[in-house]
Amino acid sequence: MLKKITSIFLILFSSHLVYGWGSKGHQIVAYVGANITTDGAAFWQANLEPLRKLTTVPDRVWKAPATKAGEANTHWFQVDAYYAPQDYNQIIRFPSSYSDAVTKYSQSTIDINGVAPWRIRQLYQLAFFSFTQNDMKSALEYVGVMTHYIGDLSQPLHVSENYDGQQTGNKGIHSYFEASIIKDEIKIREDVEKRAQNLLRDPNFLSQFNGNLMDAILLEIERSVSYRDQILQNDDKYGRSKNGAAIQLELAKNRMADAAATTAMILNQLWRDTGLVAHATPMTVEDPKWVKPDFNNLPEERMTPIHQKFLRDEEDCAQ
C-alpha cells in the first residue's frame, strides 16, 4: 500500500509540476487584483510591477530541484477527491485547520490532493507579521507570492483530480487552457480588469466574503470547480482550433477576473488588519527564498487580537 501511495504521489508531483496559470495569467491576476483594491490602494498600486514579478516566483524559482518536492502540492487542491459534484456546495464544511484535515482524511490523502488553501493562509500571516514590524519589503514579497496560489485555485484544472483531462481523453488541456491561449498580456489584462470590477459590484460575489479567510478560499475553489466540465466540453466540441481557443479564452478571462477580484478582497482585508496608513511607496523587491510549508505552526502568537479574530470561523472579511 505504501508503495502504491508513493507512486501516485510522485505521478501527481511530476504532472502538476510544470503547470501554473502560466506566467502571463499569474501576472494578470496579481496586477489587476492589486490595482482594484480599495484599502491600502496607494501602496498596492505603487507596487504593481513588483507584485507582477513576485507572483511568478513559486513557479519560476521555488520549483527548482532543491525545493520542488516540498513545493509542488502547494499549487492545487483537488476538491473532487473529497466531494461528489452534487456536494460541492459542502466544501465550506471542509476542515479549516490543517491538523483537523489530516486527522479526518489522513496525511497521504491531504498530501496527494494538495494544500494550496493552507499555503495562502501561511503567507497571509507572514505578510501581516512583516507589515506590523514595518518590514514593508518582506511583506510585499510575501503578498506577491501569495497571489500566485490564489490564482492557481481559480483555474478549474487546479482543483480537480482530472487536472490534465487525462481521465476524459482531453490530455494536454491544462497547459493549453492556462498558457497557450493567453498571448497578449496587456490586452487581456484590460478586459480582465473590467470583469473583475464588475464582480466587485456584484452582491452575490461579495457575499462570498462574509466568512473568514479559509471560507473565502474554499468558496473560490467551489466557484472554480464548477467550470471544470465546461473546459472539457469546449475541448470536445471545438478542439484546439482558432475558434476553440477564442471560446476557451473567454472562460479563462472570467476565471482570471474571479482570481483578481478575490485577490483584491483579501488584500483589502490584510491592509485593514494592519491598521497602517497607505502611502504610495514604491518598493525594490527580490525573489524571496523558499518558504517551507509549515501549517501546524502558523505564527498566531505574533498576531494582534484583531487579526486572530479574522482567522477564526466567526469573523468575516466583507468589504
Side-chain angles (χ1 to χ4, degrees), residues 12-29:
L12 284 173
F13 270 16
S14 61
S15 298
H16 281 274
L17 194 58
V18 297
Y19 302 126
W21 248 118
S23 60
K24 291 179 181 177
H26 279 295
Q27 288 166 177
I28 289 168
V29 168

Side-chain angles (χ1 to χ4, degrees), residues 3 16 24 32 34 49 60 73 81 102 106 115 117 149 157-158 161 176 203 208 217-218 231 233 251 268 283 286 305:
K3 182 177 180 180
H16 281 274
K24 291 179 181 177
V32 171
E49 284 302 323
R60 180 169 50 83
N73 72 339
V102 169
S106 82
V115 296
Y149 305 94
L157 299 174
H158 268 262
E161 291 182 299
Y176 178 78
Q208 300 274 292
I217 297 166
L218 291 174
I231 294 172
Q233 290 164 6
L251 177 52
N268 286 342
M283 307 295 298
E286 302 171 359

Side-chain angles (χ1 to χ4, degrees), residues 32-101:
V32 171
N35 199 36
I36 60 177
T37 53
T38 53
D39 296 271
F43 178 76
W44 300 127
Q45 292 169 8
N47 289 287
L48 295 178
E49 284 302 323
L51 288 167
R52 178 177 171 272
K53 173 189 175 185
L54 289 164
T55 195
T56 63
V57 165
D59 279 343
R60 180 169 50 83
V61 180
W62 289 1
K63 286 183 179 178
T67 54
K68 65 181 179 181
E71 172 66 19
N73 72 339
T74 66
H75 292 248
W76 67 79
F77 183 83
Q78 297 175 159
V79 64
D80 48 5
Y82 302 104
Y83 301 98
Q86 65 271 19
D87 297 322
Y88 286 155
N89 62 354
Q90 298 299 306
I91 187 177
I92 195 67
R93 300 179 183 275
F94 194 87
S96 176
S97 162
Y98 178 76
S99 59
D100 288 349

Side-chain angles (χ1 to χ4, degrees), residues 289-300:
K289 293 182 179 179
W290 182 59
V291 177
K292 182 179 180 180
D294 184 0
F295 311 132
N296 286 315
N297 297 290
L298 297 178
E300 291 194 28

Side-chain angles (χ1 to χ4, degrees), residues 51-318:
L51 288 167
R52 178 177 171 272
K53 173 189 175 185
L54 289 164
T55 195
T56 63
V57 165
D59 279 343
R60 180 169 50 83
V61 180
W62 289 1
K63 286 183 179 178
T67 54
K68 65 181 179 181
E71 172 66 19
N73 72 339
T74 66
H75 292 248
W76 67 79
F77 183 83
Q78 297 175 159
V79 64
D80 48 5
Y82 302 104
Y83 301 98
Q86 65 271 19
D87 297 322
Y88 286 155
N89 62 354
Q90 298 299 306
I91 187 177
I92 195 67
R93 300 179 183 275
F94 194 87
S96 176
S97 162
Y98 178 76
S99 59
D100 288 349
V102 169
T103 297
K104 182 173 182 177
Y105 293 107
S106 82
Q107 186 71 63
S108 62
T109 298
I110 296 298
D111 285 343
I112 290 170
N113 292 299
V115 296
W118 296 288
R119 185 60 152 172
I120 294 168
R121 188 172 183 175
Q122 178 190 24
L123 292 165
Y124 183 104
Q125 292 182 334
L126 291 170
F128 172 81
F129 177 63
S130 296
F131 273 129
T132 62
Q133 300 301 303
N134 203 34
D135 185 355
M136 307 299 280
K137 175 178 176 292
S138 293
L140 187 67
E141 289 170 354
Y142 286 131
V143 167
V145 294
M146 179 185 71
T147 66
H148 181 98
Y149 305 94
I150 297 173
D152 277 343
L153 294 181
S154 73
Q155 210 281 53
L157 299 174
H158 268 262
V159 296
S160 174
E161 291 182 299
N162 192 20
Y163 52 85
D164 195 29
Q166 75 281 3
Q167 297 176 353
T168 52
N170 303 94
K171 192 162 180 60
I173 187 60
H174 193 127
S175 60
Y176 178 78
F177 178 75
E178 70 183 16
S180 298
I181 63 174
I182 301 175
K183 301 183 183 298
D184 189 335
E185 181 181 345
I186 303 302
K187 183 177 180 180
I188 293 173
R189 187 172 75 198
E190 292 173 353
D191 196 359
V192 167
E193 181 159 337
K194 292 176 184 177
R195 299 179 192 210
Q197 290 279 22
N198 287 337
L199 285 174
L200 293 179
R201 291 189 286 266
D202 182 351
N204 290 327
F205 180 80
L206 294 177
S207 71
Q208 300 274 292
F209 297 86
N210 289 331
N212 65 10
L213 176 61
M214 188 61 75
D215 289 342
I217 297 166
L218 291 174
L219 289 171
E220 180 193 14
I221 294 168
E222 182 186 343
R223 296 193 301 274
S224 185
V225 75
S226 69
Y227 291 96
R228 178 203 58 194
D229 290 349
Q230 186 175 342
I231 294 172
L232 301 174
Q233 290 164 6
N234 286 345
D235 194 44
D236 289 338
K237 185 173 182 179
Y238 303 106
R240 298 171 196 179
S241 61
K242 183 177 180 180
N243 185 42
I247 290 170
Q248 296 283 39
L249 180 58
E250 286 303 302
L251 177 52
K253 287 179 182 178
N254 286 337
R255 294 282 75 235
M256 287 186 284
D258 186 291
T262 298
T263 297
M265 293 292 287
I266 291 175
L267 295 190
N268 286 342
Q269 181 64 51
L270 175 58
W271 194 265
R272 290 196 296 271
D273 284 348
T274 67
L276 296 173
V277 176
H279 298 287
T281 309
M283 307 295 298
T284 299
V285 297
E286 302 171 359
D287 291 344
K289 293 182 179 179
W290 182 59
V291 177
K292 182 179 180 180
D294 184 0
F295 311 132
N296 286 315
N297 297 290
L298 297 178
E300 291 194 28
E301 71 279 0
R302 299 175 178 176
M303 291 181 274
T304 66
I306 292 176
H307 186 246
Q308 289 175 4
K309 287 181 179 180
F310 169 59
L311 289 169
R312 288 202 294 265
D313 290 344
E314 68 269 18
E315 295 302 314
D316 65 62
C317 59

